[in-house]
Amino acid sequence: MRLKKLLVLSLAAVMGLSLAACGSKSDDSSKEKTYKIASDTTFAPFEFENKDGERVGIDLELLEAIAKEEGFKYEIDAVGFDAAMASVENGQSDGMIAGMSITDERKEKYDFSDPYYTSKVCFATEKGSDIEKLEDLKGKNVVAKVGTVGANYAEEMSKKYDFDVKQVESSAMMYQEVTSGNAAACFEDYPVMNYEITENGQKLEVPFISDEGSEYGFAVLKGENSELIDMFNSGLKKIKDNGKYQEIIDKYAKEK
Ligand code: GLN
């Protein structure tokens, strides 16, 4: 009698264990692994170094909140936008979060999460410049950041409006080219340019915002780390539902 009871109990324990294992969203390896996530360097308010030298921003806080919800570990490698894409492509990083626009062309190489932010490309000039529209860039030099949708857009428009595009590695270099007078304008995502001007006192202004919008997504190499995309999507939904997502967005909208 006793033996039977013990048997039933231990059976129940085994069943309970395997049930628990089935119930978890991802297998144990995704919990133990430390995912390497590549990011941009200067792309405020999504990722940047604050005055205390800490890496902060919407992307980093979203990922932190999502990882907490889903229970996975990761480390951030801030290498720059183009370098982040290369690092995912060659398998050095498991994923990237870098204000990366979801485009059809990129979908051939990467798998994206659900979109988490909507953006548009704009161009910025030095404050007080008389350049107002694409036509005014005729015969001038402009800058864009390598590998970005802003650079694609600038290259496309340069053929139509006859200006020269120089591509640089980082947004910081891009702003510098314009404030130093080397370039008449830089092409950047509007939320980022706006933050630089209003929050970081960048002496630039935005005379033009394109009509074409894009949405930002977290990305992995196509066909790889699909559990990471699943966890990101699931965590994103949770933090949208519990208000954390909005809290993070609002924090950077208000920050000085
Ligand atoms: N959203 C732009 C793109 O995906 C720029 C991203 C960035 O510079 N970090 O191309």
Side-chain angles (χ1 to χ4, degrees), residues 21 84 124 148 190 195 215 228 236 239 244:
T148 61
Y190 178 69
Y195 187 92
E215 291 188 298
L228 202 44
L236 179 63
I239 63 169
K244 182 72 184 167

Tab-separated table of all heavy atoms in Angstrom, residues 21 84 124 148 190 195 215 228 236 239 244:
chain	number	residue	atom	x	y	z
A	21	ALA	N	8.156	21.598	-18.200
A	21	ALA	CA	9.081	21.784	-19.309
A	21	ALA	C	8.329	22.107	-20.592
A	21	ALA	O	8.723	22.970	-21.361
A	21	ALA	CB	9.939	20.537	-19.492
A	84	ALA	N	27.045	46.408	-37.257
A	84	ALA	CA	26.087	45.528	-36.566
A	84	ALA	C	25.439	44.572	-37.570
A	84	ALA	O	25.313	43.369	-37.306
A	84	ALA	CB	25.029	46.348	-35.852
A	124	ALA	N	18.768	67.346	-42.674
A	124	ALA	CA	19.033	68.481	-41.785
A	124	ALA	C	20.156	69.315	-42.372
A	124	ALA	O	21.071	68.793	-43.021
A	124	ALA	CB	19.416	67.981	-40.400
A	148	THR	N	22.360	52.667	-44.340
A	148	THR	CA	21.053	53.039	-43.790
A	148	THR	C	20.026	53.327	-44.891
A	148	THR	O	20.393	53.567	-46.046
A	148	THR	CB	21.167	54.304	-42.913
A	148	THR	OG1	21.644	55.383	-43.730
A	148	THR	CG2	22.126	54.093	-41.755
A	190	TYR	N	14.080	61.002	-38.940
A	190	TYR	CA	13.570	62.217	-38.293
A	190	TYR	C	13.545	62.173	-36.758
A	190	TYR	O	13.986	63.129	-36.112
A	190	TYR	CB	12.183	62.605	-38.848
A	190	TYR	CG	11.661	63.821	-38.149
A	190	TYR	CD1	12.262	65.063	-38.353
A	190	TYR	CD2	10.606	63.735	-37.232
A	190	TYR	CE1	11.837	66.191	-37.671
A	190	TYR	CE2	10.178	64.855	-36.551
A	190	TYR	CZ	10.787	66.075	-36.774
A	190	TYR	OH	10.378	67.177	-36.078
A	195	TYR	N	15.663	64.676	-31.997
A	195	TYR	CA	16.192	64.528	-30.636
A	195	TYR	C	17.545	65.221	-30.514
A	195	TYR	O	17.825	65.909	-29.534
A	195	TYR	CB	16.327	63.039	-30.290
A	195	TYR	CG	16.703	62.772	-28.851
A	195	TYR	CD1	15.721	62.567	-27.886
A	195	TYR	CD2	18.038	62.735	-28.456
A	195	TYR	CE1	16.061	62.327	-26.566
A	195	TYR	CE2	18.387	62.496	-27.139
A	195	TYR	CZ	17.399	62.296	-26.196
A	195	TYR	OH	17.747	62.065	-24.889
A	215	GLU	N	9.370	51.192	-40.406
A	215	GLU	CA	9.170	50.747	-39.028
A	215	GLU	C	10.414	50.039	-38.536
A	215	GLU	O	11.065	49.320	-39.286
A	215	GLU	CB	7.954	49.825	-38.970
A	215	GLU	CG	6.678	50.609	-39.227
A	215	GLU	CD	5.449	49.771	-38.986
A	215	GLU	OE1	5.276	48.765	-39.680
A	215	GLU	OE2	4.669	50.136	-38.092
A	228	LEU	N	14.653	33.735	-30.470
A	228	LEU	CA	14.925	35.101	-30.008
A	228	LEU	C	13.847	36.057	-30.536
A	228	LEU	O	13.371	36.943	-29.823
A	228	LEU	CB	16.319	35.504	-30.507
A	228	LEU	CG	17.095	36.610	-29.813
A	228	LEU	CD1	17.054	36.515	-28.310
A	228	LEU	CD2	18.544	36.616	-30.306
A	236	LEU	N	7.565	42.048	-26.132
A	236	LEU	CA	7.109	43.365	-26.613
A	236	LEU	C	5.612	43.520	-26.356
A	236	LEU	O	5.151	44.570	-25.904
A	236	LEU	CB	7.415	43.511	-28.118
A	236	LEU	CG	6.983	44.814	-28.785
A	236	LEU	CD1	7.718	46.017	-28.178
A	236	LEU	CD2	7.220	44.770	-30.301
A	239	ILE	N	5.078	44.135	-22.606
A	239	ILE	CA	5.411	45.481	-22.100
A	239	ILE	C	4.531	46.555	-22.727
A	239	ILE	O	4.406	47.654	-22.198
A	239	ILE	CB	6.917	45.826	-22.219
A	239	ILE	CG1	7.390	45.849	-23.666
A	239	ILE	CG2	7.764	44.870	-21.379
A	239	ILE	CD1	8.789	46.451	-23.826
A	244	LYS	N	4.877	49.446	-19.727
A	244	LYS	CA	6.328	49.674	-19.671
A	244	LYS	C	6.864	50.269	-20.982
A	244	LYS	O	7.726	51.158	-20.975
A	244	LYS	CB	7.029	48.335	-19.355
A	244	LYS	CG	8.525	48.412	-19.209
A	244	LYS	CD	8.946	49.093	-17.917
A	244	LYS	CE	10.461	49.244	-17.849
A	244	LYS	NZ	10.884	50.156	-16.778
